[in-house]
Amino acid sequence: MNIFDFKIKEKFPNESVLKNPEIYGVFSGYNLPSFVKDWLIQRNSTLEGKIDKENLRLFLNKHIAQKNKKTIKGTLINDYVPIKVLARILIEPDIRSGVIKFSIPDLGIGHNEGVIPNYIAEKYPELKGGEIWGVVKLSYNPPDNGKTGFIEIVDYKSFKPYEVDLEYFKQKRREFEVSEWIDLLIRSMEYNPEGFESLQQKILFISRLLIFVEPNLNMFELAPKGTGKSYVFNNLSKYGWVISGGVISRAKLLYDISRKTPGLLTLYDFVAIDEVETIKFTDESELRGALKNYLESGTFSVANYKGESSAGLMVLGNIPLTQERKPVNNRYFVNLHKFFNDPALLDRFHGFIEGWKLPRMREDLILRGYALNVEYFSEILHELRTESQYRNVVQKLVDVPKDADTRDKNAIIKLSTAYLKLLFPHVESPEDIDKSDFKLYCLEQAIKMREIIKTQISYIDPEFSREVPEIRIRE
């Protein structure tokens, strides 16, 4: 361990975990996100960071049956013995039958094979819809009087190993320099900060976390393959959902009229559309209209249903580069689906991440050292979303021209607020932060991200100005 490892372990003794690729090899064959792996590593670790690999393997074999998923249903049917597993559960109420159904894809349990009894749903409200991680006890109900057999959840324990003390986290931030804190964030994203070439590259990398901490933030990132954009959104939080390929409809994103069920944007902190160039859209004009309203205000109307949500939308795509690793075309959206070549829709996205400026995954980017436990880290990011004082601080720190475009102003304020939450979570008033730090790490980054969106819109429609308001630090 180096000096920084010791500092992380000292300041976050119960919330940090040693990242060692050799140790994490025990999870080979298990489709587990990082927040689950870290929890399992920590519960099988000594204070000195040594791992009880044998005990960890026993837990995996007993409670995470992904390797033996073909035998799960057979065991339930033949042995009539309840099975307890830690798993990802997809829950969808069936309006027509009045039954709450579930599936566990990793165990081969389909949507029409799982039922959640009413008494369990009443006891655990999170089992009434959406995606959750938890420890469930499964039991089999055989066919009876012409009714088909089904698997039911007879007990449940939420997977939330941490009760987050946000004030504790804020106080600990005061004990780190800005550069150290940036490195801790990168480590907690499971990357080695020493593998990055510059401070600006590090800031660009942690910009992927903005949508984790700021509600109703909408962003684009285009990057070549191998820069880790999919990994961040798939592995760092159970509060997000990633759509990879397939078909996207208004029903899927916002509200399904036939099933009378809310869409993905109402269930999560953010929804990321990955490999967007491969996505197909149904009823494009209808979806685009509904999405414009949602991205603008966080509300939407479908038929007689009115909904609202604080979820942000992240659009991820690939972009062709020259040998110098610069975009082949200065019109970044030219290769995307025509759905996104609508200036009014793009104008509702707040910022753009130039992912081609980030390094491809290399050996020197693999973390070997201490970082915040991903499960703890994801809970902190989730809690920061509802902290309203940061926006007030930002508004007191800046001067906005009276003739500023409202969307531009809102975008820059939102992005600056998100950077403030990430980098300076201990700040409670304008006096708590050096104005030059706020300008460098928050405001200038936000303005640049918004400028890219405006420039790209102007290429599609020259009537749109590429200028952004000259928002300055208040004297």
Side-chain angles (χ1 to χ4, degrees):
M1 293 196 301
N2 59 28
I3 296 176
F4 193 44
D5 285 308
F6 279 108
K7 182 170 185 175
I8 295 171
K9 185 62 178 173
E10 178 191 11
K11 303 305 179 185
F12 291 100
N14 300 315
E15 300 81 18
S16 59
V17 65
L18 178 62
K19 300 283 187 175
N20 184 325
E22 287 72 32
I23 293 173
Y24 279 73
V26 74
F27 296 110
S28 177
Y30 292 94
N31 182 27
L32 297 175
S34 296
F35 57 82
V36 175
K37 292 177 183 177
D38 275 8
W39 175 73
L40 292 171
I41 286 288
Q42 190 168 51
R43 78 190 298 271
N44 289 280
S45 300
T46 65
L47 292 175
E48 294 76 29
K50 294 183 179 179
I51 309 299
D52 186 341
K53 288 188 177 181
E54 187 59 33
N55 197 52
L56 177 54
R57 287 192 183 96
L58 288 173
F59 183 93
L60 290 170
N61 289 333
K62 184 176 180 180
H63 298 298
I64 302 181
Q66 292 174 2
K67 283 188 175 180
N68 303 311
K69 69 180 183 180
K70 292 182 179 179
T71 68
I72 289 292
K73 289 190 283 189
T75 300
L76 286 168
I77 291 172
N78 293 318
D79 297 347
Y80 286 96
V81 177
I83 294 176
K84 185 181 289 187
V85 293
L86 169 62
R88 179 177 65 105
I89 309 149
L90 306 180
I91 303 164
E92 186 172 336
D94 189 319
I95 297 298
R96 293 173 181 174
S97 66
V99 172
I100 299 178
K101 297 181 178 181
F102 75 90
S103 63
I104 305 181
D106 293 331
L107 302 185
I109 298 174
H111 169 69
N112 290 319
E113 297 174 316
V115 171
I116 299 175
N118 289 335
Y119 74 93
I120 292 290
E122 290 300 323
K123 188 176 181 180
Y124 305 104
E126 61 263 47
L127 293 178
K128 292 181 178 179
E131 179 193 75
I132 59 168
W133 275 87
V135 177
V136 291
K137 182 184 285 188
L138 304 174
S139 181
Y140 178 64
N141 274 1
D144 183 38
N145 293 328
K147 294 183 179 180
T148 58
F150 59 90
I151 297 169
E152 66 177 350
I153 293 175
V154 295
D155 199 10
Y156 166 77
K157 184 178 180 181
S158 174
F159 178 74
K160 189 175 181 181
Y162 290 100
E163 291 298 331
V164 171
D165 183 347
L166 201 53
E167 291 307 313
Y168 168 85
F169 178 79
K170 293 175 182 179
Q171 290 303 318
K172 292 299 180 181
R173 165 62 182 91
R174 299 179 185 276
E175 302 182 44
F176 290 81
E177 299 295 329
V178 180
S179 59
E180 291 180 322
W181 191 252
I182 291 172
D183 284 354
L184 177 57
L185 292 176
I186 292 173
R187 281 178 172 233
S188 301
M189 297 170 74
E190 304 193 308
Y191 276 69
N192 176 20
E194 295 178 8
F196 289 83
E197 299 173 2
S198 64
L199 173 63
Q200 185 56 44
Q201 197 177 59
K202 290 179 178 181
I203 295 174
L204 188 65
F205 183 70
I206 65 171
S207 297
R208 290 171 170 172
L209 295 178
L210 298 178
I211 201 168
F212 287 64
V213 298
E214 180 66 11
N216 296 113
L217 184 65
N218 311 308
M219 299 184 68
F220 260 97
E221 178 180 350
L222 298 183
K225 294 180 179 180
T227 53
K229 58 185 183 298
S230 302
Y231 183 85
V232 168
F233 298 99
N234 272 306
N235 286 275
L236 296 188
S237 176
K238 61 177 176 284
Y239 296 108
W241 182 271
V242 179
I243 302 172
S244 298
V247 178
I248 290 182
S249 64
R250 185 189 62 183
K252 186 171 186 176
L253 280 183
L254 297 170
Y255 184 76
D256 190 321
I257 297 174
S258 62
R259 294 185 176 182
K260 297 183 179 179
T261 55
L264 294 172
L265 281 169
T266 68
L267 302 174
Y268 299 96
D269 285 355
F270 65 84
V271 172
I273 301 176
D274 195 13
E275 303 283 350
V276 67
E277 59 273 12
T278 68
I279 297 286
K280 295 181 180 179
F281 297 89
T282 64
D283 301 320
E284 289 184 25
S285 60
E286 188 177 50
L287 173 59
R288 189 185 292 112
L291 201 54
K292 284 179 184 177
N293 288 336
Y294 176 75
L295 298 181
E296 181 80 18
S297 64
T299 63
F300 62 92
S301 297
V302 177
N304 295 324
Y305 181 86
K306 294 186 180 296
E308 62 180 40
S309 175
S310 65
L313 183 63
M314 187 80 189
V315 179
L316 305 168
N318 297 315
I319 188 169
L321 303 179
T322 65
Q323 290 184 342
E324 292 75 30
R325 289 186 62 80
K326 294 182 179 181
V328 172
N329 196 318
N330 61 0
R331 301 188 177 200
Y332 302 159
F333 298 130
V334 70
N335 292 319
L336 296 189
H337 192 285
K338 63 180 181 179
F339 181 87
F340 287 107
N341 277 263
D342 180 332
L345 178 63
L346 292 177
D347 199 25
R348 287 158 168 82
F349 283 84
H350 301 108
F352 185 99
I353 296 175
E354 298 172 302
W356 57 87
K357 294 184 177 180
L358 294 172
R360 283 181 57 84
M361 192 61 196
R362 306 184 306 260
E363 284 299 303
D364 62 344
L365 287 170
I366 297 175
L367 177 61
R368 292 174 173 83
Y370 274 92
L372 293 180
N373 183 309
V374 171
E375 173 60 21
Y376 172 77
F377 187 48
S378 72
E379 291 292 336
I380 288 291
L381 298 178
H382 176 67
E383 291 293 321
L384 284 170
R385 293 175 66 82
T386 55
E387 295 287 294
S388 60
Q389 73 272 19
Y390 297 101
R391 185 180 179 92
N392 295 331
V393 171
V394 171
Q395 290 176 324
K396 291 177 181 178
L397 281 169
V398 300
D399 269 327
V400 180
K402 293 182 179 180
D403 61 347
D405 179 271
T406 299
R407 282 194 188 133
D408 291 340
K409 184 263 295 185
N410 288 341
I412 292 169
I413 294 295
K414 282 185 75 66
L415 289 165
S416 297
T417 300
Y419 276 116
L420 188 66
K421 289 179 180 180
L422 276 180
L423 297 174
F424 305 95
H426 59 293
V427 167
E428 297 179 355
S429 70
E431 292 71 35
D432 292 338
I433 185 171
D434 186 286
K435 288 184 177 179
S436 61
D437 281 346
F438 174 76
K439 180 181 179 183
L440 173 63
Y441 294 107
C442 303
L443 182 59
E444 289 183 353
Q445 306 298 327
I447 291 173
K448 183 177 180 180
M449 281 190 165
R450 181 59 182 173
E451 283 178 337
I452 298 171
I453 290 288
K454 291 298 294 292
T455 298
Q456 293 304 312
I457 293 174
S458 71
Y459 285 139
I460 299 171
D461 186 348
E463 289 188 13
F464 275 77
S465 170
R466 64 175 61 186
E467 300 297 324
V468 298
E470 195 173 349
I471 298 177
R472 298 179 177 180
I473 300 294
R474 182 168 293 173
E475 297 297 332

